[in-house]
């Protein structure tokens, strides 16, 4: 069975193919009554619009590409949800690609999205990305590039982040206010800006509250449950006075919590713990995990809004994709979420 075309609809209604095309694309020169008649006929004839042909005519696909490090991390799912919510209401579809935290997959994802002729790309950079050549290629092709969470300032692209330094400061100071004084930190790879910012927030919170900064209380993990368990084991073995842990991500906090529970450590009485990210599992572990919320849905909405602004500039004739002197950067406020794991029992 052959596919229905606009010529078939035109023949059915005894009108021209150009009138059918304009009606199906809501052209203002076609009356509302004619549009309604043509769209009804298209539905009856099972017409499906050729998106490729439409995109060739308009220069747009109305598809936006998203690259995230991992769909297993709830934070990234929240961001994608925020992007998709606004994308759909603005007539866009999304293509999602996971880098699995590797530069190889990230490059492959970017190349695939460019071959698909997406209108723009929103990305959070993988932790093992060796260089930024593939992102410079995006900009060279004048495809709007929007960064979120894990960004690189040298790309000079619009971005949206949470204030990681402030969030870490808040988390550490919360532990101090609960009476903890020997607070350890399980950080992440320091070449990634967010983890360096969270380490700095932790250190400055200790200094502000006149507590010593002890290098023996700092571990550099790999953002996994196993890394959290291993880091907690090492910290506990060499720091008998440790009474709290601030983990740079909830997933390592979960690993630390699991190890401490296995080791028979009472939480939060003997050791308090707080994470960062407000993952979906955080309220449901025992004890429930205190954390810092990054407002992922709003981050996604802001990222898509930055994309729309870039597309508007491109349509107006500016050269989206070229280096901009001052790309727009949106910084969201972190939100402290207090749960059982960090509220110390004064009777302990």
């Amino acid at each position: 069975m052959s596919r229905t075309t606009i010529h078939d609809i035109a023949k059915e209604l005894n009108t021209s193919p150009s009138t059918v095309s304009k009606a199906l694309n809501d052209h203002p020169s076609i009356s509302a009554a004619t549009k309604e008649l043509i769209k009804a006929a298209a539905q009856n004839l099972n017409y499906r619009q050729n998106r490729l042909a439409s995109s060739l005519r308009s220069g747009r696909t109305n598809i936006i590409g998203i690259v995230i490090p991992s769909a297993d991390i709830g934070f990234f799912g929240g961001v994608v949800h925020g992007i998709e919510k606004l994308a759909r209401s603005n007539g866009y579809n999304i293509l999602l690609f996971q880098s699995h935290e590797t530069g190889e997959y990230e490059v492959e994802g970017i190349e695939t999205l460019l071959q698909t002729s997406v209108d723009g790309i929103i990305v959070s950079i993988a932790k093992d990305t060796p260089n930024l050549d593939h992102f410079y290629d995006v900009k060279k092709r004048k495809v709007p590039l929007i960064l979120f969470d894990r960004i690189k300032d040298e790309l000079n692209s619009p971005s949206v982040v949470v204030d990681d330094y402030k969030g870490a400061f808040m988390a550490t100071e919360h532990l101090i206010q609960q009476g903890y004084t020997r607070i350890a930190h399980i950080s992440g790879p320091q070449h990634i800006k967010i983890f360096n910012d969270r380490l700095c927030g932790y250190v400055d919170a200790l200094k502000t509250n006149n507590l010593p900064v002890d290098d023996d209380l700092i571990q550099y993990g790999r953002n996994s449950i196993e890394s959290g368990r291993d880091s907690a084991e090492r910290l506990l073995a060499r720091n008998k006075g440790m009474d709290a842990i601030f983990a740079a991500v909830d997933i390592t906090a979960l690993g630390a919590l699991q190890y401490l529970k296995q080791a028979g450590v009472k939480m939060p009485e003997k050791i308090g713990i707080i994470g960062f990210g407000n993952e979906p599992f955080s309220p449901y572990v025992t004890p429930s995990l205190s954390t810092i919320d990054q407002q992922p849905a709003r981050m996604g909405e802001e990222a898509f809004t930055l994309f729309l602004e870039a597309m508007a500039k491109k349509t107006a004739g500016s050269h989206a994709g070229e280096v901009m002197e001052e790309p727009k950067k949106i910084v969201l406020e972190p939100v402290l979420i207090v749960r059982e794991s960090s509220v110390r029992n004064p009777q302990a």
Side-chain angles (χ1 to χ4, degrees), residues 5 9 55 158 190 231 241 295 314 334:
T5 69
I9 301 171
S55 67
Q190 291 300 293
S231 295
Q295 303 194 65
K314 188 175 183 180

Side-chain angles (χ1 to χ4, degrees), residues 193-243:
K193 186 177 185 299
I194 63 171
F195 297 120
N196 183 258
D197 286 347
R198 292 175 195 180
L199 174 62
C200 290
Y202 156 80
V203 168
D204 285 354
L206 293 178
K207 291 179 178 178
T208 299
N209 288 274
N210 299 314
L211 292 176
V213 177
D214 186 344
D215 289 341
D216 282 344
L217 286 171
I218 301 174
Q219 284 286 309
Y220 298 94
R222 292 288 295 172
N223 305 336
S224 66
I225 292 176
E226 294 74 18
S227 179
R229 291 177 62 88
D230 292 343
S231 295
E233 182 177 10
R234 288 192 293 270
L235 286 166
L236 195 62
R238 69 177 185 229
N239 294 287
K240 298 303 180 183
M242 178 185 69
D243 60 7

Side-chain angles (χ1 to χ4, degrees), residues 51 120 136 149 223 239 271 275-276 288 330:
R51 284 187 173 272
Y136 286 119
D149 188 48
N223 305 336
N239 294 287
I271 294 182
F276 202 115
S288 57
I330 297 172

Side-chain angles (χ1 to χ4, degrees), residues 18 93 101 151 160 225 299 310 332:
S18 64
N93 291 309
E101 295 286 18
I151 70 173
V160 54
I225 292 176
M299 185 175 289
L332 302 180

